Protein backbone atom coordinates (compact mmCIF):
# COMPACT_ATOMS: atom_id res chain seq x y z
CA UNK A 1 0.00 0.00 0.00
CA UNK A 2 1.29 3.45 -0.90
CA UNK A 3 2.74 5.38 2.08
CA UNK A 4 0.36 8.30 1.40
CA UNK A 5 -2.66 6.00 1.79
CA UNK A 6 -1.23 4.53 5.01
CA UNK A 7 -0.62 8.04 6.36
CA UNK A 8 -4.14 9.13 5.42
CA UNK A 9 -5.61 6.05 7.10
CA UNK A 10 -3.55 6.52 10.26
CA UNK A 11 -4.60 10.15 10.59
CA UNK A 12 -8.27 9.46 9.82
CA UNK A 13 -8.23 6.92 12.65
CA UNK A 14 -6.43 9.28 15.06
CA UNK A 15 -9.68 10.59 16.67
CA UNK A 16 -10.41 7.00 17.73
CA UNK A 17 -6.94 6.78 19.27
CA UNK A 18 -7.55 10.11 21.01
CA UNK A 19 -10.89 8.98 22.39
CA UNK A 20 -9.40 5.66 23.52
CA UNK A 21 -6.49 7.34 25.31
CA UNK A 22 -8.83 9.88 26.90
CA UNK A 23 -11.19 7.12 28.10
CA UNK A 24 -8.29 5.20 29.66
CA UNK A 25 -6.72 8.21 31.37
CA UNK A 26 -10.08 9.59 32.46
CA UNK A 27 -10.82 6.36 34.32
CA UNK A 28 -7.30 6.06 35.73
CA UNK A 29 -7.35 9.60 37.09
CA UNK A 30 -10.87 9.21 38.47
CA UNK A 31 -9.68 6.16 40.38
CA UNK A 32 -6.24 7.22 41.56
CA UNK A 33 -6.13 11.04 41.31
CA UNK A 34 -9.80 12.14 41.39
CA UNK A 35 -8.99 15.78 42.16
CA UNK A 36 -7.09 16.27 38.91
CA UNK A 37 -9.05 18.66 36.72
CA UNK A 38 -10.64 17.11 33.63
CA UNK A 39 -8.90 19.58 31.33
CA UNK A 40 -5.54 18.44 32.67
CA UNK A 41 -6.52 14.81 32.07
CA UNK A 42 -7.51 15.74 28.52
CA UNK A 43 -4.17 17.45 27.84
CA UNK A 44 -2.24 14.47 29.22
CA UNK A 45 -4.28 12.03 27.11
CA UNK A 46 -3.79 13.93 23.88
CA UNK A 47 -0.12 14.61 24.53
CA UNK A 48 0.60 10.96 25.21
CA UNK A 49 -1.47 10.12 22.14
CA UNK A 50 1.39 11.58 20.09
CA UNK A 51 3.39 8.46 20.99
CA UNK A 52 1.24 5.79 19.28
CA UNK A 53 0.53 8.14 16.38
CA UNK A 54 4.19 9.05 16.03
CA UNK A 55 5.12 5.37 16.13
CA UNK A 56 2.62 4.54 13.40
CA UNK A 57 3.86 7.37 11.20
CA UNK A 58 7.51 6.47 11.87
CA UNK A 59 6.82 2.94 10.67
CA UNK A 60 5.00 4.26 7.59
CA UNK A 61 7.90 6.49 6.57
CA UNK A 62 10.80 4.48 8.02
CA UNK A 63 10.00 1.70 5.62
CA UNK A 64 9.56 4.13 2.74
CA UNK A 65 13.24 4.25 1.91
CA UNK A 66 12.70 6.33 -1.23
CA UNK A 67 11.53 9.38 0.73
CA UNK A 68 13.92 12.32 0.62
CA UNK A 69 14.67 14.25 3.87
CA UNK A 70 12.32 17.05 2.65
CA UNK A 71 9.53 14.54 1.95
CA UNK A 72 9.99 12.92 5.37
CA UNK A 73 10.02 16.34 7.10
CA UNK A 74 6.86 17.34 5.15
CA UNK A 75 5.14 14.14 6.29
CA UNK A 76 6.04 14.78 9.95
CA UNK A 77 4.91 18.42 9.87
CA UNK A 78 1.73 17.41 8.05
CA UNK A 79 0.94 14.68 10.59
CA UNK A 80 1.67 17.01 13.52
CA UNK A 81 -0.68 19.70 12.17
CA UNK A 82 -3.51 17.28 11.32
CA UNK A 83 -3.30 15.35 14.62
CA UNK A 84 -3.21 18.49 16.76
CA UNK A 85 -5.96 20.21 14.75
CA UNK A 86 -8.10 17.10 15.30
CA UNK A 87 -7.17 17.11 18.99
CA UNK A 88 -8.24 20.75 19.22
CA UNK A 89 -11.56 19.86 17.53
CA UNK A 90 -12.03 16.94 19.92
CA UNK A 91 -11.36 19.29 22.83
CA UNK A 92 -14.28 21.48 21.70
CA UNK A 93 -16.59 18.48 21.52
CA UNK A 94 -15.48 17.30 24.97
CA UNK A 95 -15.77 20.84 26.35
CA UNK A 96 -19.27 21.08 24.88
CA UNK A 97 -20.26 17.98 26.86
CA UNK A 98 -18.65 19.50 29.96
CA UNK A 99 -19.72 23.16 29.93
CA UNK A 100 -22.14 24.08 27.14
CA UNK A 101 -25.37 25.69 28.29
CA UNK A 102 -27.15 24.42 25.21
CA UNK A 103 -26.22 20.82 25.96
CA UNK A 104 -27.30 21.18 29.60
CA UNK A 105 -30.63 22.65 28.51
CA UNK A 106 -31.19 19.92 25.91
CA UNK A 107 -30.28 17.30 28.52
CA UNK A 108 -32.81 18.71 31.00
CA UNK A 109 -35.54 18.76 28.35
CA UNK A 110 -34.68 15.17 27.41
CA UNK A 111 -34.87 14.05 31.04
CA UNK A 112 -38.22 15.73 31.62
CA UNK A 113 -39.70 14.97 28.21
CA UNK A 114 -40.84 18.56 27.87
CA UNK A 115 -40.18 21.78 29.79
CA UNK A 116 -41.25 25.39 29.89
CA UNK A 117 -38.60 28.09 29.73
CA UNK A 118 -39.60 29.21 33.23
CA UNK A 119 -38.96 25.65 34.49
CA UNK A 120 -35.42 25.78 33.12
CA UNK A 121 -34.71 29.11 34.81
CA UNK A 122 -35.82 27.68 38.16
CA UNK A 123 -33.01 25.05 38.26
CA UNK A 124 -30.54 26.44 35.73
CA UNK A 125 -30.62 30.19 36.12
CA UNK A 126 -27.97 32.89 36.16
CA UNK A 127 -26.63 31.90 39.59
CA UNK A 128 -26.18 28.23 38.62
CA UNK A 129 -24.43 29.15 35.39
CA UNK A 130 -22.11 31.64 37.02
CA UNK A 131 -21.31 29.46 40.03
CA UNK A 132 -20.33 26.52 37.79
CA UNK A 133 -18.04 28.79 35.79
CA UNK A 134 -16.47 30.45 38.80
CA UNK A 135 -15.70 27.05 40.32
CA UNK A 136 -14.20 25.87 37.04
CA UNK A 137 -12.06 28.99 36.57
CA UNK A 138 -10.75 28.73 40.14
CA UNK A 139 -10.01 24.99 39.70
CA UNK A 140 -7.89 25.71 36.58
CA UNK A 141 -6.19 28.69 38.27
CA UNK A 142 -7.51 31.37 35.93
CA UNK A 143 -9.13 33.33 38.74
CA UNK A 144 -8.69 33.38 42.51
CA UNK A 145 -10.75 34.57 45.40
CA UNK A 146 -9.43 36.70 48.23
CA UNK A 147 -11.43 38.46 50.95
CA UNK A 148 -14.67 37.95 49.04
CA UNK A 149 -13.32 39.45 45.81
CA UNK A 150 -12.29 37.77 42.57
CA UNK A 151 -9.02 38.47 40.81
CA UNK A 152 -7.26 37.19 37.74
CA UNK A 153 -4.76 34.44 38.48
CA UNK A 154 -2.94 32.86 35.52
CA UNK A 155 -3.61 34.64 32.26
CA UNK A 156 -3.91 31.95 29.59
CA UNK A 157 -7.70 32.03 29.24
CA UNK A 158 -7.71 35.82 29.61
CA UNK A 159 -5.35 36.10 26.62
CA UNK A 160 -7.63 33.74 24.70
CA UNK A 161 -10.65 35.87 25.69
CA UNK A 162 -8.88 39.00 24.38
CA UNK A 163 -8.04 37.19 21.16
CA UNK A 164 -11.64 36.07 20.66
CA UNK A 165 -12.96 39.57 21.42
CA UNK A 166 -10.54 41.00 18.87
CA UNK A 167 -11.45 38.43 16.22
CA UNK A 168 -15.17 39.09 16.83
CA UNK A 169 -14.65 42.79 16.14
CA UNK A 170 -12.50 41.97 13.09
CA UNK A 171 -15.16 39.82 11.44
CA UNK A 172 -17.84 42.38 12.19
CA UNK A 173 -19.75 41.04 15.18
CA UNK A 174 -21.41 43.80 17.17
CA UNK A 175 -20.18 44.39 20.69
CA UNK A 176 -22.35 42.37 23.07
CA UNK A 177 -23.33 44.83 25.82
CA UNK A 178 -19.65 45.48 26.42
CA UNK A 179 -19.00 41.89 27.41
CA UNK A 180 -17.18 40.87 24.22
CA UNK B 1 5.20 13.34 1.09
CA UNK B 2 5.65 16.12 -1.42
CA UNK B 3 5.78 19.56 0.17
CA UNK B 4 3.14 20.57 -2.43
CA UNK B 5 0.56 18.65 -0.37
CA UNK B 6 1.44 20.51 2.83
CA UNK B 7 1.47 23.91 1.14
CA UNK B 8 -1.71 23.27 -0.90
CA UNK B 9 -3.71 22.12 2.13
CA UNK B 10 -2.61 25.12 4.18
CA UNK B 11 -3.26 27.52 1.29
CA UNK B 12 -6.78 26.21 0.71
CA UNK B 13 -7.54 26.81 4.39
CA UNK B 14 -6.02 30.31 4.32
CA UNK B 15 -7.98 31.23 1.17
CA UNK B 16 -11.22 29.88 2.71
CA UNK B 17 -10.54 31.92 5.85
CA UNK B 18 -9.94 35.07 3.78
CA UNK B 19 -13.23 34.52 1.89
CA UNK B 20 -15.00 34.06 5.23
CA UNK B 21 -13.50 37.30 6.58
CA UNK B 22 -14.39 39.29 3.44
CA UNK B 23 -18.01 38.09 3.46
CA UNK B 24 -18.51 38.57 7.21
CA UNK B 25 -17.01 42.06 7.20
CA UNK B 26 -19.38 43.06 4.41
CA UNK B 27 -22.51 41.43 5.80
CA UNK B 28 -23.19 38.51 8.12
CA UNK B 29 -25.10 35.69 6.37
CA UNK B 30 -28.56 34.72 7.59
CA UNK B 31 -27.36 31.22 8.39
CA UNK B 32 -23.82 31.23 9.71
CA UNK B 33 -23.65 27.42 9.78
CA UNK B 34 -24.68 27.03 6.14
CA UNK B 35 -22.30 29.75 5.01
CA UNK B 36 -19.38 28.21 6.91
CA UNK B 37 -20.19 24.80 5.48
CA UNK B 38 -20.19 26.22 1.95
CA UNK B 39 -16.97 28.20 2.34
CA UNK B 40 -14.90 25.65 4.26
CA UNK B 41 -16.25 22.33 3.07
CA UNK B 42 -18.37 22.28 -0.08
CA UNK B 43 -16.54 24.80 -2.26
CA UNK B 44 -13.04 23.37 -1.52
CA UNK B 45 -14.28 19.85 -2.33
CA UNK B 46 -15.79 21.04 -5.62
CA UNK B 47 -12.61 22.91 -6.53
CA UNK B 48 -10.48 19.91 -5.58
CA UNK B 49 -12.58 17.53 -7.67
CA UNK B 50 -12.59 19.95 -10.61
CA UNK B 51 -8.80 20.32 -10.42
CA UNK B 52 -8.27 16.58 -10.26
CA UNK B 53 -10.61 15.98 -13.23
CA UNK B 54 -8.74 18.65 -15.22
CA UNK B 55 -5.41 17.03 -14.28
CA UNK B 56 -6.59 13.48 -14.94
CA UNK B 57 -8.48 13.99 -18.22
CA UNK B 58 -7.10 17.21 -19.66
CA UNK B 59 -3.58 17.19 -18.17
CA UNK B 60 -4.21 20.77 -17.06
CA UNK B 61 -4.75 20.69 -13.29
CA UNK B 62 -3.65 23.67 -11.19
CA UNK B 63 -2.15 21.57 -8.41
CA UNK B 64 -1.71 18.43 -10.55
CA UNK B 65 -1.59 15.64 -7.99
CA UNK B 66 -3.12 12.18 -7.82
CA UNK B 67 -6.50 11.54 -6.22
CA UNK B 68 -4.80 10.10 -3.11
CA UNK B 69 -2.73 13.21 -2.70
CA UNK B 70 -5.86 15.31 -3.11
CA UNK B 71 -7.33 13.35 -0.20
CA UNK B 72 -4.28 14.30 1.88
CA UNK B 73 -4.59 17.95 0.85
CA UNK B 74 -8.28 18.02 1.78
CA UNK B 75 -7.63 16.18 5.05
CA UNK B 76 -5.20 18.91 6.10
CA UNK B 77 -7.66 21.62 5.06
CA UNK B 78 -10.63 19.89 6.78
CA UNK B 79 -8.74 19.35 10.02
CA UNK B 80 -7.89 23.08 10.16
CA UNK B 81 -11.41 24.03 9.03
CA UNK B 82 -13.02 21.79 11.67
CA UNK B 83 -10.84 23.42 14.33
CA UNK B 84 -12.03 26.87 13.23
CA UNK B 85 -15.69 25.91 12.80
CA UNK B 86 -15.83 24.29 16.24
CA UNK B 87 -14.31 27.45 17.74
CA UNK B 88 -16.95 29.57 15.99
CA UNK B 89 -19.72 29.27 18.64
CA UNK B 90 -17.37 31.00 21.10
CA UNK B 91 -17.22 33.90 18.64
CA UNK B 92 -20.90 33.95 17.89
CA UNK B 93 -22.33 33.66 21.38
CA UNK B 94 -21.17 35.43 24.52
CA UNK B 95 -19.11 32.90 26.48
CA UNK B 96 -19.79 33.65 30.14
CA UNK B 97 -16.41 32.28 31.27
CA UNK B 98 -14.45 34.43 28.85
CA UNK B 99 -16.65 37.47 29.51
CA UNK B 100 -16.06 36.96 33.24
CA UNK B 101 -12.31 37.04 32.75
CA UNK B 102 -12.50 40.30 30.78
CA UNK B 103 -14.75 41.87 33.41
CA UNK B 104 -12.46 40.80 36.26
CA UNK B 105 -9.39 42.08 34.43
CA UNK B 106 -11.04 45.47 33.89
CA UNK B 107 -11.64 45.70 37.65
CA UNK B 108 -8.01 44.99 38.59
CA UNK B 109 -6.34 45.66 40.93
CA UNK B 110 -9.45 45.95 43.11
CA UNK B 111 -11.15 42.79 41.94
CA UNK B 112 -14.88 42.13 41.87
CA UNK B 113 -17.36 40.84 44.38
CA UNK B 114 -19.72 38.05 43.38
CA UNK B 115 -22.68 40.46 43.15
CA UNK B 116 -20.72 42.91 40.99
CA UNK B 117 -19.87 40.08 38.62
CA UNK B 118 -23.41 38.76 38.61
CA UNK B 119 -24.85 42.18 37.75
CA UNK B 120 -23.01 42.01 34.39
CA UNK B 121 -25.09 39.01 33.26
CA UNK B 122 -28.81 38.72 32.67
CA UNK B 123 -31.17 35.84 32.04
CA UNK B 124 -31.53 37.18 28.51
CA UNK B 125 -27.76 36.97 27.91
CA UNK B 126 -27.25 33.57 29.45
CA UNK B 127 -30.43 31.62 28.90
CA UNK B 128 -32.93 33.24 26.54
CA UNK B 129 -30.32 33.68 23.82
CA UNK B 130 -29.40 29.98 24.13
CA UNK B 131 -33.04 28.90 23.94
CA UNK B 132 -33.38 30.97 20.78
CA UNK B 133 -30.27 29.24 19.39
CA UNK B 134 -31.74 25.84 20.12
CA UNK B 135 -34.99 26.69 18.36
CA UNK B 136 -33.19 28.44 15.50
CA UNK B 137 -30.88 25.45 15.06
CA UNK B 138 -33.85 23.03 15.00
CA UNK B 139 -32.62 21.25 18.10
CA UNK B 140 -35.78 22.06 20.05
CA UNK B 141 -39.28 23.23 19.21
CA UNK B 142 -41.69 25.25 21.29
CA UNK B 143 -45.39 24.51 21.21
CA UNK B 144 -47.97 26.09 23.53
CA UNK B 145 -45.15 27.21 25.81
CA UNK B 146 -43.55 23.75 26.07
CA UNK B 147 -40.08 22.99 24.77
CA UNK B 148 -39.43 19.56 23.27
CA UNK B 149 -36.40 18.08 21.53
CA UNK B 150 -36.36 17.49 17.81
CA UNK B 151 -34.67 14.38 16.45
CA UNK B 152 -31.55 16.50 15.91
CA UNK B 153 -31.59 17.67 19.52
CA UNK B 154 -32.13 14.11 20.74
CA UNK B 155 -29.25 12.83 18.59
CA UNK B 156 -26.95 15.53 19.97
CA UNK B 157 -27.91 14.82 23.59
CA UNK B 158 -27.51 11.05 23.17
CA UNK B 159 -24.11 11.53 21.51
CA UNK B 160 -22.91 13.72 24.37
CA UNK B 161 -24.23 11.19 26.90
CA UNK B 162 -22.41 8.40 25.07
CA UNK B 163 -19.18 10.40 25.17
CA UNK B 164 -19.55 10.94 28.93
CA UNK B 165 -20.23 7.22 29.44
CA UNK B 166 -17.15 6.27 27.39
CA UNK B 167 -15.04 8.63 29.48
CA UNK B 168 -16.57 7.38 32.75
CA UNK B 169 -17.75 10.89 33.62
CA UNK B 170 -21.06 12.20 34.97
CA UNK B 171 -23.15 14.67 32.97
CA UNK B 172 -21.52 18.07 32.46
CA UNK B 173 -22.73 20.96 34.60
CA UNK B 174 -23.15 23.33 31.72
Amino acid sequence: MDASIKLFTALILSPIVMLGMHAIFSRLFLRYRPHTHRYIVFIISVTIGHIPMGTAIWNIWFHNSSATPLEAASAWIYALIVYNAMAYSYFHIFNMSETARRIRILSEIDKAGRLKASDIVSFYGVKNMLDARIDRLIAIHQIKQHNGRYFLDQKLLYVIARGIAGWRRFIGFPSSKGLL
Amino acid sequence: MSITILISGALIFIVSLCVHILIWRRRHPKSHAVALLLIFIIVPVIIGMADWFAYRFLSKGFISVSIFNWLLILLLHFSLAAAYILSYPALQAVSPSLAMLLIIKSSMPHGLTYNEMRSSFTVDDLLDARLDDLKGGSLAVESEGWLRLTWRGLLLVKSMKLLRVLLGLPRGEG
Side-chain angles (χ1 to χ4, degrees):
Chain A
M1 194 192 275
D2 180 72
S4 296
I5 301 169
K6 287 183 193 171
L7 182 64
F8 179 83
T9 308
L11 287 168
I12 280 285
L13 293 176
S14 66
I16 297 173
V17 171
M18 254 177 249
L19 180 58
M21 299 291 288
H22 192 195
I24 291 168
F25 280 100
S26 180
R27 284 179 164 75
L28 283 173
F29 273 89
L30 277 171
R31 184 162 185 166
Y32 298 109
R33 300 283 287 266
H35 299 297
T36 308
H37 196 274
R38 290 170 191 165
Y39 289 160
I40 304 295
V41 176
F42 171 84
I43 290 168
I44 291 170
S45 309
V46 161
T47 305
I48 292 179
H50 281 81
I51 297 172
M53 288 308 303
T55 307
I57 290 157
W58 175 262
N59 285 328
I60 288 167
W61 285 96
F62 182 74
H63 291 298
N64 182 8
S65 58
S66 63
T68 64
L70 181 61
E71 285 172 347
S74 296
W76 279 113
I77 292 168
Y78 175 94
L80 209 59
I81 293 172
V82 171
Y83 176 78
N84 285 286
M86 284 188 178
Y88 178 80
S89 297
Y90 173 61
F91 168 73
H92 275 286
I93 294 169
F94 167 65
N95 195 43
M96 215 188 305
S97 79
E98 184 81 358
T99 71
R101 288 164 283 165
R102 281 172 271 206
I103 301 300
R104 172 72 191 270
I105 293 166
L106 289 173
S107 178
E108 295 294 347
I109 298 172
D110 180 45
K111 199 163 76 172
R114 62 177 192 171
L115 280 173
K116 290 186 183 257
S118 53
D119 295 332
I120 297 172
V121 171
S122 69
F123 55 75
Y124 188 49
V126 172
K127 185 177 185 316
N128 302 93
M129 290 187 204
L130 290 184
D131 288 353
R133 279 151 182 83
I134 289 170
D135 290 344
R136 215 173 279 138
L137 289 172
I138 290 174
I140 58 173
H141 306 293
Q142 298 304 298
I143 65 174
K144 56 189 175 190
Q145 189 184 17
H146 182 66
N147 288 342
R149 302 186 82 85
Y150 294 96
F151 301 89
L152 273 193
D153 192 353
Q154 294 170 18
K155 293 209 167 78
L156 176 62
L157 271 187
Y158 167 69
V159 169
I160 290 170
R162 285 287 302 269
I164 288 174
W167 188 253
R168 266 178 68 93
R169 282 194 295 276
F170 184 63
I171 60 172
F173 276 105
S175 174
S176 181
K177 297 180 185 179
L179 287 178
L180 278 173
Chain B
M1 168 187 291
S2 164
I3 198 160
T4 305
I5 294 169
L6 190 59
I7 292 171
S8 302
L11 267 176
I12 290 173
F13 174 70
I14 290 167
V15 168
S16 300
L17 195 62
C18 290
V19 169
H20 159 56
I21 291 167
L22 286 170
I23 293 172
W24 259 244
R25 282 178 69 87
R26 190 175 166 83
R27 198 178 73 174
H28 282 201
K30 274 188 187 164
S31 172
H32 291 233
V34 169
L36 288 172
L37 191 68
L38 269 169
I39 294 167
F40 283 99
I41 308 295
I42 295 173
V43 169
V45 167
I46 292 171
I47 291 174
M49 282 172 55
D51 188 81
W52 179 75
F53 273 110
Y55 165 67
R56 177 74 175 82
F57 298 108
L58 304 173
S59 302
K60 281 182 180 177
F62 186 71
I63 295 179
S64 301
V65 294
S66 69
I67 188 79
F68 295 117
N69 285 334
W70 256 113
L71 286 177
L72 286 170
I73 289 170
L74 288 175
L75 178 61
L76 176 57
H77 164 69
F78 287 151
S79 62
L80 293 169
Y84 181 75
I85 290 170
L86 284 167
S87 305
Y88 192 78
L91 296 171
Q92 197 179 15
V94 172
S95 163
S97 300
L98 300 183
M100 224 180 273
L101 290 167
L102 293 173
I103 292 164
I104 292 173
K105 175 70 168 95
S106 69
S107 74
M108 299 289 275
H110 306 291
L112 279 178
T113 63
Y114 179 85
N115 287 333
E116 284 169 343
M117 200 154 35
R118 186 171 170 176
S119 67
S120 299
F121 296 93
T122 65
V123 171
D124 187 56
D125 288 329
L126 295 182
L127 187 63
D128 292 349
R130 296 291 67 73
L131 290 175
D132 290 341
D133 287 343
L134 292 177
K135 287 182 276 186
S138 302
L139 295 169
V141 289
E142 189 169 16
S143 171
E144 295 171 359
W146 292 97
L147 288 159
R148 288 183 181 78
L149 297 188
T150 62
W151 66 266
R152 282 190 194 90
L154 195 61
L155 183 63
L156 181 57
V157 163
K158 298 299 183 197
S159 303
M160 290 291 149
K161 276 187 186 170
L162 177 61
L163 177 61
R164 303 300 285 189
V165 165
L166 287 172
L167 298 175
L169 295 172
R171 184 192 69 178
E173 288 179 22

